[in-house]
Amino acid sequence: MTHMKMKTKTNELTTLIARLQRKPNEDFLALANTPERFMEFLYFLRRKPGCRAHKADMATYFNITERQVRFYATAGSEIFGLFDASERGFVSLTKLGKEMAYTKKEEVAFYLKTEMQKMPLIQEFINKDISEDLSPVIKAIESNEKWEQEYSLSSVERRASTIRSWVEYIREDSLPISESQLLHFVKQNRSVLSHLFTVKQVG
């Protein structure tokens, strides 16, 4: 492997490891039923000056309400680390968001699914059939004292619907990503990973 290829591979693995080590906000309960919209926001913002756009413009472009833009922007921040909605009225890409915005769609989808699977509520239902009956999800949400106090029943039901959408999204094209798959990846890239961690330790 040439030095340039080694460097490129190392940079890719550094980014991948950072993604795998990143932890979503487990206390955040998303209301975002269309997972593909995170990807749409990502590529939309990439084309804007400073990777930044006003929520009203985004609402018009995607034919949704500003409230819905806020829901996706907040979930995209708390769960995926892709968006920054701290500036009033605007949504922008984070450093990670900018990196992801220039990757292939299948890689973005892989990342979204990986992060979703880190959520305990997703883990609880990833191998269960909740396509028709959301009552187990609703019960699981209400068992969290903070969520039970914060959300009305109708709001809990809408968020339970999001959990179902995310589970279906993860299982859409393939089985959930397993530890054995990650282990296989590590074995395939053992030499590069070894070099990467050596560089980190020296630094």
PDB file of all heavy atoms in Angstrom, residues 29 138 140-153 155-156:
ATOM      1  N   LEU A  29     -36.133  12.013  22.855  1.00  0.00           N
ATOM      2  CA  LEU A  29     -37.128  11.177  22.191  1.00  0.00           C
ATOM      3  C   LEU A  29     -37.592  11.893  20.932  1.00  0.00           C
ATOM      4  O   LEU A  29     -38.314  12.888  20.990  1.00  0.00           O
ATOM      5  CB  LEU A  29     -38.306  10.924  23.140  1.00  0.00           C
ATOM      6  CG  LEU A  29     -39.307   9.830  22.756  1.00  0.00           C
ATOM      7  CD1 LEU A  29     -38.618   8.486  22.562  1.00  0.00           C
ATOM      8  CD2 LEU A  29     -40.384   9.705  23.831  1.00  0.00           C
ATOM      9  N   ILE A 138     -45.334   2.339  23.340  1.00  0.00           N
ATOM     10  CA  ILE A 138     -45.950   3.359  24.195  1.00  0.00           C
ATOM     11  C   ILE A 138     -45.695   3.042  25.668  1.00  0.00           C
ATOM     12  O   ILE A 138     -45.322   3.920  26.465  1.00  0.00           O
ATOM     13  CB  ILE A 138     -47.464   3.458  23.917  1.00  0.00           C
ATOM     14  CG1 ILE A 138     -47.701   4.011  22.507  1.00  0.00           C
ATOM     15  CG2 ILE A 138     -48.150   4.334  24.954  1.00  0.00           C
ATOM     16  CD1 ILE A 138     -49.134   3.932  22.040  1.00  0.00           C
ATOM     17  N   ALA A 140     -43.252   1.271  26.890  1.00  0.00           N
ATOM     18  CA  ALA A 140     -41.820   1.450  27.167  1.00  0.00           C
ATOM     19  C   ALA A 140     -41.486   2.928  27.369  1.00  0.00           C
ATOM     20  O   ALA A 140     -40.689   3.282  28.251  1.00  0.00           O
ATOM     21  CB  ALA A 140     -40.992   0.870  26.029  1.00  0.00           C
ATOM     22  N   ILE A 141     -42.084   3.797  26.560  1.00  0.00           N
ATOM     23  CA  ILE A 141     -41.849   5.241  26.703  1.00  0.00           C
ATOM     24  C   ILE A 141     -42.402   5.741  28.032  1.00  0.00           C
ATOM     25  O   ILE A 141     -41.738   6.494  28.753  1.00  0.00           O
ATOM     26  CB  ILE A 141     -42.494   6.010  25.532  1.00  0.00           C
ATOM     27  CG1 ILE A 141     -41.778   5.689  24.215  1.00  0.00           C
ATOM     28  CG2 ILE A 141     -42.443   7.530  25.786  1.00  0.00           C
ATOM     29  CD1 ILE A 141     -42.436   6.264  22.982  1.00  0.00           C
ATOM     30  N   GLU A 142     -43.602   5.306  28.363  1.00  0.00           N
ATOM     31  CA  GLU A 142     -44.246   5.756  29.594  1.00  0.00           C
ATOM     32  C   GLU A 142     -43.569   5.207  30.851  1.00  0.00           C
ATOM     33  O   GLU A 142     -43.786   5.719  31.946  1.00  0.00           O
ATOM     34  CB  GLU A 142     -45.727   5.378  29.577  1.00  0.00           C
ATOM     35  CG  GLU A 142     -46.527   6.175  28.538  1.00  0.00           C
ATOM     36  CD  GLU A 142     -48.007   5.815  28.526  1.00  0.00           C
ATOM     37  OE1 GLU A 142     -48.314   4.643  28.830  1.00  0.00           O
ATOM     38  OE2 GLU A 142     -48.821   6.695  28.223  1.00  0.00           O
ATOM     39  N   SER A 143     -42.754   4.170  30.692  1.00  0.00           N
ATOM     40  CA  SER A 143     -42.032   3.630  31.846  1.00  0.00           C
ATOM     41  C   SER A 143     -40.877   4.541  32.253  1.00  0.00           C
ATOM     42  O   SER A 143     -40.314   4.406  33.336  1.00  0.00           O
ATOM     43  CB  SER A 143     -41.486   2.228  31.541  1.00  0.00           C
ATOM     44  OG  SER A 143     -40.460   2.291  30.565  1.00  0.00           O
ATOM     45  N   ASN A 144     -40.524   5.468  31.343  1.00  0.00           N
ATOM     46  CA  ASN A 144     -39.509   6.470  31.644  1.00  0.00           C
ATOM     47  C   ASN A 144     -40.205   7.656  32.308  1.00  0.00           C
ATOM     48  O   ASN A 144     -41.000   8.351  31.684  1.00  0.00           O
ATOM     49  CB  ASN A 144     -38.809   6.899  30.355  1.00  0.00           C
ATOM     50  CG  ASN A 144     -37.695   7.906  30.580  1.00  0.00           C
ATOM     51  OD1 ASN A 144     -37.902   8.951  31.187  1.00  0.00           O
ATOM     52  ND2 ASN A 144     -36.521   7.602  30.068  1.00  0.00           N
ATOM     53  N   GLU A 145     -39.916   7.881  33.575  1.00  0.00           N
ATOM     54  CA  GLU A 145     -40.614   8.898  34.356  1.00  0.00           C
ATOM     55  C   GLU A 145     -40.507  10.286  33.737  1.00  0.00           C
ATOM     56  O   GLU A 145     -41.488  11.038  33.697  1.00  0.00           O
ATOM     57  CB  GLU A 145     -40.045   8.923  35.781  1.00  0.00           C
ATOM     58  CG  GLU A 145     -40.812   9.836  36.729  1.00  0.00           C
ATOM     59  CD  GLU A 145     -40.275   9.755  38.149  1.00  0.00           C
ATOM     60  OE1 GLU A 145     -39.755   8.694  38.538  1.00  0.00           O
ATOM     61  OE2 GLU A 145     -40.375  10.769  38.865  1.00  0.00           O
ATOM     62  N   LYS A 146     -39.342  10.618  33.224  1.00  0.00           N
ATOM     63  CA  LYS A 146     -39.119  11.932  32.604  1.00  0.00           C
ATOM     64  C   LYS A 146     -40.020  12.106  31.389  1.00  0.00           C
ATOM     65  O   LYS A 146     -40.678  13.141  31.228  1.00  0.00           O
ATOM     66  CB  LYS A 146     -37.655  12.074  32.204  1.00  0.00           C
ATOM     67  CG  LYS A 146     -37.316  13.372  31.468  1.00  0.00           C
ATOM     68  CD  LYS A 146     -35.847  13.407  31.100  1.00  0.00           C
ATOM     69  CE  LYS A 146     -35.490  14.665  30.304  1.00  0.00           C
ATOM     70  NZ  LYS A 146     -36.113  14.677  28.976  1.00  0.00           N
ATOM     71  N   TRP A 147     -40.059  11.103  30.529  1.00  0.00           N
ATOM     72  CA  TRP A 147     -40.882  11.182  29.327  1.00  0.00           C
ATOM     73  C   TRP A 147     -42.366  11.190  29.657  1.00  0.00           C
ATOM     74  O   TRP A 147     -43.146  11.900  29.030  1.00  0.00           O
ATOM     75  CB  TRP A 147     -40.561  10.009  28.396  1.00  0.00           C
ATOM     76  CG  TRP A 147     -39.199  10.095  27.785  1.00  0.00           C
ATOM     77  CD1 TRP A 147     -38.416  11.207  27.666  1.00  0.00           C
ATOM     78  CD2 TRP A 147     -38.457   9.024  27.198  1.00  0.00           C
ATOM     79  NE1 TRP A 147     -37.232  10.900  27.042  1.00  0.00           N
ATOM     80  CE2 TRP A 147     -37.224   9.581  26.740  1.00  0.00           C
ATOM     81  CE3 TRP A 147     -38.706   7.678  27.005  1.00  0.00           C
ATOM     82  CZ2 TRP A 147     -36.253   8.805  26.111  1.00  0.00           C
ATOM     83  CZ3 TRP A 147     -37.745   6.902  26.367  1.00  0.00           C
ATOM     84  CH2 TRP A 147     -36.519   7.450  25.929  1.00  0.00           C
ATOM     85  N   GLU A 148     -42.762  10.410  30.641  1.00  0.00           N
ATOM     86  CA  GLU A 148     -44.175  10.347  31.021  1.00  0.00           C
ATOM     87  C   GLU A 148     -44.662  11.713  31.500  1.00  0.00           C
ATOM     88  O   GLU A 148     -45.794  12.125  31.216  1.00  0.00           O
ATOM     89  CB  GLU A 148     -44.381   9.303  32.127  1.00  0.00           C
ATOM     90  CG  GLU A 148     -45.845   9.112  32.481  1.00  0.00           C
ATOM     91  CD  GLU A 148     -46.036   8.135  33.623  1.00  0.00           C
ATOM     92  OE1 GLU A 148     -45.113   8.001  34.465  1.00  0.00           O
ATOM     93  OE2 GLU A 148     -47.112   7.524  33.696  1.00  0.00           O
ATOM     94  N   GLN A 149     -43.802  12.430  32.226  1.00  0.00           N
ATOM     95  CA  GLN A 149     -44.175  13.751  32.727  1.00  0.00           C
ATOM     96  C   GLN A 149     -44.129  14.815  31.635  1.00  0.00           C
ATOM     97  O   GLN A 149     -44.900  15.769  31.645  1.00  0.00           O
ATOM     98  CB  GLN A 149     -43.242  14.148  33.876  1.00  0.00           C
ATOM     99  CG  GLN A 149     -43.396  13.296  35.123  1.00  0.00           C
ATOM    100  CD  GLN A 149     -42.371  13.640  36.199  1.00  0.00           C
ATOM    101  OE1 GLN A 149     -41.476  14.470  35.991  1.00  0.00           O
ATOM    102  NE2 GLN A 149     -42.495  13.007  37.355  1.00  0.00           N
ATOM    103  N   GLU A 150     -43.212  14.636  30.694  1.00  0.00           N
ATOM    104  CA  GLU A 150     -42.983  15.659  29.669  1.00  0.00           C
ATOM    105  C   GLU A 150     -43.987  15.623  28.527  1.00  0.00           C
ATOM    106  O   GLU A 150     -44.331  16.663  27.961  1.00  0.00           O
ATOM    107  CB  GLU A 150     -41.561  15.498  29.114  1.00  0.00           C
ATOM    108  CG  GLU A 150     -41.143  16.585  28.161  1.00  0.00           C
ATOM    109  CD  GLU A 150     -39.668  16.493  27.786  1.00  0.00           C
ATOM    110  OE1 GLU A 150     -38.927  15.723  28.428  1.00  0.00           O
ATOM    111  OE2 GLU A 150     -39.259  17.205  26.841  1.00  0.00           O
ATOM    112  N   TYR A 151     -44.475  14.418  28.168  1.00  0.00           N
ATOM    113  CA  TYR A 151     -45.321  14.286  26.987  1.00  0.00           C
ATOM    114  C   TYR A 151     -46.738  13.827  27.314  1.00  0.00           C
ATOM    115  O   TYR A 151     -46.941  12.979  28.184  1.00  0.00           O
ATOM    116  CB  TYR A 151     -44.688  13.286  26.003  1.00  0.00           C
ATOM    117  CG  TYR A 151     -43.286  13.646  25.567  1.00  0.00           C
ATOM    118  CD1 TYR A 151     -42.203  12.826  25.893  1.00  0.00           C
ATOM    119  CD2 TYR A 151     -43.041  14.809  24.837  1.00  0.00           C
ATOM    120  CE1 TYR A 151     -40.909  13.152  25.491  1.00  0.00           C
ATOM    121  CE2 TYR A 151     -41.746  15.139  24.436  1.00  0.00           C
ATOM    122  CZ  TYR A 151     -40.696  14.315  24.769  1.00  0.00           C
ATOM    123  OH  TYR A 151     -39.420  14.645  24.385  1.00  0.00           O
ATOM    124  N   SER A 152     -47.687  14.379  26.553  1.00  0.00           N
ATOM    125  CA  SER A 152     -49.071  13.919  26.654  1.00  0.00           C
ATOM    126  C   SER A 152     -49.174  12.565  25.967  1.00  0.00           C
ATOM    127  O   SER A 152     -48.254  12.149  25.250  1.00  0.00           O
ATOM    128  CB  SER A 152     -50.001  14.919  25.970  1.00  0.00           C
ATOM    129  OG  SER A 152     -49.730  14.961  24.568  1.00  0.00           O
ATOM    130  N   LEU A 153     -50.297  11.869  26.141  1.00  0.00           N
ATOM    131  CA  LEU A 153     -50.485  10.562  25.516  1.00  0.00           C
ATOM    132  C   LEU A 153     -50.396  10.663  24.001  1.00  0.00           C
ATOM    133  O   LEU A 153     -49.751   9.829  23.357  1.00  0.00           O
ATOM    134  CB  LEU A 153     -51.837   9.963  25.917  1.00  0.00           C
ATOM    135  CG  LEU A 153     -52.181   8.606  25.263  1.00  0.00           C
ATOM    136  CD1 LEU A 153     -51.113   7.567  25.590  1.00  0.00           C
ATOM    137  CD2 LEU A 153     -53.560   8.122  25.699  1.00  0.00           C
ATOM    138  N   SER A 155     -48.779  12.818  22.257  1.00  0.00           N
ATOM    139  CA  SER A 155     -47.388  13.082  21.898  1.00  0.00           C
ATOM    140  C   SER A 155     -46.545  11.816  22.017  1.00  0.00           C
ATOM    141  O   SER A 155     -45.680  11.556  21.179  1.00  0.00           O
ATOM    142  CB  SER A 155     -46.805  14.178  22.802  1.00  0.00           C
ATOM    143  OG  SER A 155     -45.519  14.553  22.371  1.00  0.00           O
ATOM    144  N   VAL A 156     -46.825  11.020  23.041  1.00  0.00           N
ATOM    145  CA  VAL A 156     -46.127   9.740  23.210  1.00  0.00           C
ATOM    146  C   VAL A 156     -46.431   8.824  22.032  1.00  0.00           C
ATOM    147  O   VAL A 156     -45.542   8.150  21.504  1.00  0.00           O
ATOM    148  CB  VAL A 156     -46.540   9.057  24.541  1.00  0.00           C
ATOM    149  CG1 VAL A 156     -46.079   7.602  24.574  1.00  0.00           C
ATOM    150  CG2 VAL A 156     -45.959   9.806  25.725  1.00  0.00           C
TER     151      VAL A 156
END
